[in-house]
Amino acid sequence: MALEQAPAERGLFITFEGIDGAGKSSHIDGLAHALRAAGRTVVVTREPGGTPLAEKLRTLLLHDAMDPLTEALLIFAGRRDHLRCVIEPALARGEVVLCDRFTDATFAYQGAGRGFDTVALLDLERMAQTGLGPQPSPMRNPDLTLWFDLPPAVAAQRLAGARVPDRFEAQPVAFFARVAQGYADRAAVAPQRFARLDAAQPREAVWAQLADVLVQRGWLVPAAGAPA
């Protein structure tokens, strides 16, 4: 689907979520290309990571053994730096931020997957994601979360032999089943923000679902002559 810019422009924060192997990362560049072709300025980033400090923390998180509390503290420390240095300034400039994972991943992986206390995660979320602007501000959440929903067994097949797994990718299917349920729980709490995509479909069909979500929200419109 070819896309052109919708009439109104404002800063937009769009996150991509799903278990490892769901295929979300392969669509981030595609959406960035479509938005840039439509005249938007786009920042593509990721979590854990996105700043020099947060990238250092990412390396620790993916490769060093630690307990769930340590994981959560490092993740939210990196997130705070990411918000302050990259995400908030881009949104203030009216840009579109596309982020590979954000706080929903923490609730899905550390919360549902690891069994870490959800109440503690809510406290960390509030501390890390508020007070970021010059004036008192509400907690920063994405404008839209694209949830690539895929059965864990299918994800495991996709990941098999793809590369040397990090310590999260190396978890058993049962772990990813809990993570998938964690995403479903987050979507149930914020249905207006989440858009579920059937990630088991072929790549072209997944892209069509994704583009339709943006069109329905009025952030993109089909280009003249392009199929709807």
Side-chain angles (χ1 to χ4, degrees):
M1 174 184 283
L3 299 169
E4 65 184 21
Q5 184 179 334
E9 288 189 16
R10 66 177 180 85
L12 293 174
F13 183 23
I14 302 173
T15 56
F16 289 64
E17 295 283 2
I19 63 175
D20 292 279
K24 60 184 173 53
S25 299
S26 63
H27 289 283
I28 293 178
D29 288 342
L31 181 56
H33 176 78
L35 288 164
R36 287 169 179 150
R40 297 301 300 260
T41 299
V42 180
V43 174
V44 177
T45 188
R46 69 177 182 177
E47 287 206 355
T51 69
L53 172 60
E55 289 293 332
K56 293 175 183 177
L57 297 178
R58 177 188 178 90
T59 298
L60 296 175
L61 286 161
L62 295 186
H63 302 291
D64 290 14
M66 60 188 73
D67 73 355
L69 174 57
T70 304
E71 283 183 6
L73 291 170
L74 290 179
I75 287 168
F76 277 108
R79 182 162 299 136
R80 177 77 179 184
D81 193 60
H82 192 201
L83 282 163
R84 289 184 61 253
C85 298
V86 175
I87 296 173
E88 292 293 341
L91 295 176
R93 295 191 297 267
E95 299 171 2
V96 180
V97 177
L98 304 182
C99 190
D100 187 349
R101 299 197 191 283
F102 194 62
T103 305
D104 296 306
T106 309
F107 280 84
Y109 277 79
Q110 279 68 46
R114 296 277 197 223
F116 186 65
D117 182 11
T118 300
V119 174
L121 290 179
L122 289 168
D123 287 339
L124 290 170
E125 178 186 32
R126 175 183 53 79
M127 287 188 289
Q129 294 170 219
T130 57
L132 293 154
Q135 302 296 327
S137 59
M139 184 167 65
R140 170 62 69 188
N141 278 309
D143 296 295
L144 170 66
T145 296
L146 296 165
W147 172 31
F148 290 71
D149 189 19
L150 185 70
V154 178
Q157 292 174 356
R158 290 182 179 180
L159 286 172
R163 59 181 181 275
V164 177
D166 60 43
R167 70 187 187 92
F168 289 99
E169 294 170 337
Q171 294 295 317
V173 172
F175 172 82
F176 288 109
R178 295 194 298 273
V179 172
Q181 184 59 52
Y183 276 122
D185 293 342
R186 288 285 284 182
V189 172
Q192 74 286 353
R193 174 167 65 82
F194 269 78
R196 178 189 174 274
L197 307 179
D198 182 357
Q201 297 297 313
R203 177 184 171 86
E204 294 77 11
V206 177
W207 169 254
Q209 295 174 65
L210 186 159
D212 187 57
V213 169
L214 273 290
V215 169
Q216 288 187 24
R217 291 191 174 228
W219 297 341
L220 291 169
V221 296

